[in-house]
Amino acid sequence: METLSLTRLATIMAALRHKENGCPWDLAQDFDTIAPYTIEEAYEVAEAIAMRDMAELKKELGDLLFQVVFHSRMAEEAGHFALADVVTALCEKMERRHPHIFGDGTRARDADTQKDEWERIKAEERAAAGAPEKPVSALDGVATALPALMRAEKLQARAARVGFEWHDVSGVRAKLDEELAEFDAATDDAHRAEEMGDVLFVLANLARRHGIDPETALRAGNAKFERRFKAMESLAGPDFPALPLDAQEDYWQQVKAAERR
C-alpha cells in the first residue's frame, strides 16, 4: 500500500513537470525557488503539532512530503539522483546510525546516552567525508539556513562536546552581563547590532544550559504576547490605538491578571 502510494505521488510529480504537457508553474520552478516553500511547509507541520490538530498534521505532512518529491524530481531531470535514491540513502543511514537495532551494537541504557552515540556516529561520518585540504571541525554540518536561535544552540552544543563550555551556568550568566554592558557602551548602529548578536547568542546558551530549547521558548513567548495583545485590544475596543501608553498598560495588566485566575 505505502509503496504504491509513493509511486503514485512520483508519477503525479512527473506529470506536473512534463516538458510538453506539464503545469506551467511547476515547470518554471527550480531548487532555489522551491526551497522557501520547503521551509514554510516544515513550519506548518510544527504548528499543526503545537495545536495538536491531527487532521491538519496529516495534511501538512503530505505537503512536506511533496516538497521532497519535487526536489527529487528536479534532481532526476538533471541526472543527479531520483526519489528511490533518496529513500535508499535514508534507509542506509538509519540502519548505520542504529547499530544497536540493525547491527551488533549494544543498546544504550537511556535516550540521552543513545543520542550521544548518534552524535558520535555522525561525527565519524563527517570525518570520513572530510577533504584533506579542509580539516574537519566539530561545528561541521550545522546548517546555515536554520533559524538563528536554533543554529546558535546547535553550535554551542557541538562546541560543548569537545570541552568548550563553562563549568557551570554562572559563567554563562556573567557573560550575559558582560555582553549587555558592551551593548550599552556601543556608539553606533553597526556596533550595537553586532553586540546585540552577541547578547542573543549568549541568551541561547543560557537557555540550553537550563535545558530549554530557545527557539521553542521564543515561539511560546511570541504566542503569549499575541494572545495577550489581542485580548487587550478586545477589552479596549476600537479606540485602543488612540489611548495613551499608561491606559494601554492598564489593559495589559488586566489581561495578565485574568490569565492568572
Side-chain angles (χ1 to χ4, degrees), residues 6 10 68 72-73 76 81-92:
L6 196 57
V68 176
S72 298
R73 179 63 195 180
E76 183 177 5
F81 57 83
L83 179 61
D85 301 311
V86 174
V87 175
T88 298
L90 175 60
C91 291
E92 291 175 351

Side-chain angles (χ1 to χ4, degrees), residues 17-48:
R17 291 278 296 181
H18 190 280
K19 294 189 183 305
E20 296 176 359
N21 303 317
C23 169
W25 187 90
D26 290 279
L27 284 168
Q29 305 312 307
D30 57 28
F31 293 112
D32 294 318
T33 62
I34 289 298
Y37 293 101
T38 308
I39 295 170
E40 180 182 347
E41 296 298 349
Y43 277 114
E44 290 180 358
V45 166
E47 183 174 357

Side-chain angles (χ1 to χ4, degrees), residues 119-209:
E119 293 297 340
R120 183 190 65 77
I121 295 172
K122 285 177 62 178
E124 290 178 352
E125 291 174 355
R126 289 194 298 270
E133 68 277 5
K134 183 182 179 183
V136 175
S137 168
L139 304 183
D140 287 346
V142 182
T144 57
L146 286 172
L149 275 178
M150 184 184 296
R151 188 164 195 265
E153 188 275 335
K154 289 184 178 295
L155 289 171
Q156 292 156 3
R158 288 284 186 85
R161 291 193 191 103
V162 294
F164 193 68
E165 175 92 299
W166 278 284
H167 295 301
D168 56 60
V169 75
S170 64
V172 187
R173 187 62 179 80
K175 185 64 174 177
L176 177 59
D177 291 337
E178 175 188 327
E179 295 297 350
L180 284 169
E182 291 179 3
F183 174 78
D184 291 339
T187 56
D188 57 57
D189 291 344
H191 191 192
R192 270 187 290 273
E194 178 186 349
E195 296 300 340
M196 180 53 68
D198 293 342
V199 169
L200 292 171
F201 190 82
V202 177
L203 277 172
N205 203 5
L206 184 65
R208 181 183 66 85
R209 291 300 295 270

